[in-house]
Amino acid sequence: MEHSAAPYDERLTAPGSWWVITALVALSGGLILLPLGTVPMLGAVVVTGLLAAVAVSSYGSARIRVVAGSLVVGDARIPVAALGGAEVLAGEEARAWRMHKADPRAFMLLRSYIPTALRVEITDPADPTPYVYVSTRNPRALAAALEAVRSGGSGSEEKETSGPV
């Protein structure tokens, strides 16, 4: 049986504390219109709550995949053939590459609430982008998936069983 799943697929989601803040924003919107009556207050709670939820969800739902020979990060699609070595970053090193070591020409998918990242060199001479910086919860697995695609493997470590279980 052939696997059609991507060797790596991760969805970055906003932390729970952001959703608490979203609820507080909705409550604040309602309190602002409370002097106008109950119906305007409830309308403000719904509208500000929906707007805040859309903002948090759209920012927090970035997707990282390695599929069809490409690294797909958010809206960017980079062929694995154009990528060089990958460096796993954690803690202070990840923070340094987000701040003072960062190159303004780099493509960066930053999520400050994720402490680990992967930095991958761009080897395409026609591309002025020096590297891709990706905030990810599992940088080692992402690096392994890129290496598996680069070496021609499937990147899938799943074992199949046949017969009754």
Side-chain angles (χ1 to χ4, degrees):
M1 190 159 109
E2 194 174 310
H3 290 289
S4 62
Y8 187 85
D9 192 350
E10 177 181 11
R11 180 170 300 279
L12 303 179
T13 57
S17 60
W18 289 23
W19 293 105
V20 171
I21 293 169
T22 298
L24 293 174
V25 166
L27 182 62
S28 298
L31 289 174
I32 290 170
L33 292 186
L34 179 62
L36 300 179
T38 305
V39 174
M41 178 198 69
L42 292 175
V45 167
V46 170
V47 170
T48 56
L50 284 174
L51 289 174
V54 166
V56 167
S57 179
S58 66
Y59 176 77
S61 66
R63 192 165 179 194
I64 303 165
R65 297 183 300 158
V66 177
V67 62
S70 296
L71 171 63
V72 181
V73 181
D75 294 333
R77 182 178 207 100
I78 307 157
V80 173
L83 297 175
E87 179 184 0
V88 174
L89 304 171
E92 286 299 320
E93 191 65 18
R95 208 170 359 269
W97 279 102
R98 282 194 303 260
M99 297 168 64
H100 64 275
K101 285 186 174 181
D103 188 325
R105 299 172 300 154
F107 177 81
M108 302 179 98
L109 178 77
L110 297 173
R111 295 299 182 261
S112 61
Y113 51 86
I114 298 177
T116 55
L118 186 72
R119 189 176 70 86
V120 185
E121 298 294 326
I122 302 282
T123 57
D124 183 2
D127 191 347
T129 308
Y131 61 88
V132 176
Y133 178 99
V134 181
S135 292
T136 174
R137 290 187 172 93
N138 198 346
R140 283 179 175 52
L142 178 54
L146 290 172
E147 186 56 39
V149 170
R150 189 177 298 119
S151 65
S154 68
S156 178
E157 299 296 324
E158 298 177 44
K159 293 183 180 177
E160 294 184 42
T161 58
S162 58
V165 179

